[in-house]
Amino acid sequence: AEIARLATVVVGSRSCVKQDLPPLIAAGYIAIDPLDISSTEIRRKLAAHQDCSSFMPPKVYQYTKDHGLFLN
Protein backbone atom coordinates (compact mmCIF):
# COMPACT_ATOMS: atom_id res chain seq x y z
CA ALA A 1 0.00 0.00 0.00
CA GLU A 2 2.92 2.35 0.65
CA ILE A 3 4.14 2.06 -2.96
CA ALA A 4 0.66 3.00 -4.18
CA ARG A 5 0.76 6.00 -1.86
CA LEU A 6 4.18 7.13 -3.10
CA ALA A 7 3.85 6.47 -6.83
CA THR A 8 1.41 5.98 -9.65
CA VAL A 9 1.47 2.32 -10.55
CA VAL A 10 0.90 1.31 -14.16
CA VAL A 11 0.45 -2.29 -15.29
CA GLY A 12 1.92 -3.36 -18.60
CA SER A 13 -0.08 -6.00 -20.39
CA ARG A 14 1.23 -8.02 -23.33
CA SER A 15 -2.20 -9.39 -24.14
CA CYS A 16 -4.14 -6.17 -23.47
CA VAL A 17 -6.29 -8.19 -21.06
CA LYS A 18 -6.95 -6.26 -17.89
CA GLN A 19 -6.58 -8.34 -14.77
CA ASP A 20 -8.68 -7.73 -11.69
CA LEU A 21 -6.30 -6.00 -9.31
CA PRO A 22 -6.96 -4.22 -6.03
CA PRO A 23 -7.93 -0.58 -6.69
CA LEU A 24 -4.91 0.72 -4.77
CA ILE A 25 -2.51 -1.21 -7.01
CA ALA A 26 -3.46 -0.48 -10.61
CA ALA A 27 -3.81 3.13 -11.63
CA GLY A 28 -3.72 2.35 -15.31
CA TYR A 29 -2.79 -0.10 -18.05
CA ILE A 30 -0.49 0.26 -21.01
CA ALA A 31 -0.13 -2.11 -23.94
CA ILE A 32 3.30 -3.67 -24.41
CA ASP A 33 4.48 -5.14 -27.69
CA PRO A 34 5.49 -8.72 -26.92
CA LEU A 35 9.09 -9.74 -27.50
CA ASP A 36 10.06 -13.08 -28.98
CA ILE A 37 12.17 -13.89 -25.91
CA SER A 38 11.40 -14.74 -22.30
CA SER A 39 12.72 -12.83 -19.31
CA THR A 40 14.47 -16.06 -18.27
CA GLU A 41 16.36 -16.11 -21.56
CA ILE A 42 17.31 -12.44 -21.19
CA ARG A 43 18.67 -13.12 -17.69
CA ARG A 44 20.59 -16.14 -19.00
CA LYS A 45 22.14 -14.03 -21.76
CA LEU A 46 23.06 -11.26 -19.32
CA ALA A 47 24.70 -13.82 -17.01
CA ALA A 48 26.72 -15.07 -20.00
CA HIS A 49 27.77 -11.47 -20.82
CA GLN A 50 25.88 -11.54 -24.11
CA ASP A 51 24.43 -8.41 -25.68
CA CYS A 52 20.76 -7.92 -24.78
CA SER A 53 20.46 -4.28 -25.78
CA SER A 54 17.77 -5.02 -28.35
CA PHE A 55 15.49 -6.49 -25.68
CA MET A 56 15.25 -3.51 -23.31
CA PRO A 57 15.42 0.27 -23.28
CA PRO A 58 18.99 1.62 -23.51
CA LYS A 59 18.97 3.09 -19.98
CA VAL A 60 17.73 -0.19 -18.48
CA TYR A 61 20.38 -2.17 -20.34
CA GLN A 62 23.11 0.24 -19.23
CA TYR A 63 21.89 0.04 -15.63
CA THR A 64 22.10 -3.78 -15.67
CA LYS A 65 25.67 -3.54 -16.99
CA ASP A 66 26.74 -0.76 -14.61
CA HIS A 67 25.42 -2.62 -11.56
CA GLY A 68 26.30 -6.17 -12.63
CA LEU A 69 22.71 -7.35 -12.43
CA PHE A 70 21.83 -10.97 -13.27
CA LEU A 71 25.47 -12.10 -13.28
CA ASN A 72 24.98 -14.76 -10.62
Side-chain angles (χ1 to χ4, degrees):
E2 184 163 347
I3 291 174
R5 185 178 63 75
L6 296 172
T8 300
V9 178
V10 178
V11 176
S13 175
R14 292 183 203 151
S15 64
C16 296
V17 174
K18 294 183 178 182
Q19 302 292 321
D20 291 329
L21 297 172
L24 291 177
I25 300 299
Y29 281 87
I30 59 171
I32 297 175
D33 293 331
L35 297 175
D36 193 25
I37 189 169
S38 69
S39 58
T40 300
E41 183 65 14
I42 292 172
R43 289 190 299 273
R44 187 194 65 73
K45 286 179 175 289
L46 289 169
H49 300 276
Q50 296 177 0
D51 180 34
C52 292
S53 59
S54 63
F55 302 119
M56 58 187 80
K59 288 183 179 183
V60 173
Y61 182 63
Q62 191 60 50
Y63 187 89
T64 63
K65 291 180 59 131
D66 292 346
H67 295 277
L69 300 181
F70 308 111
L71 294 179
N72 296 325

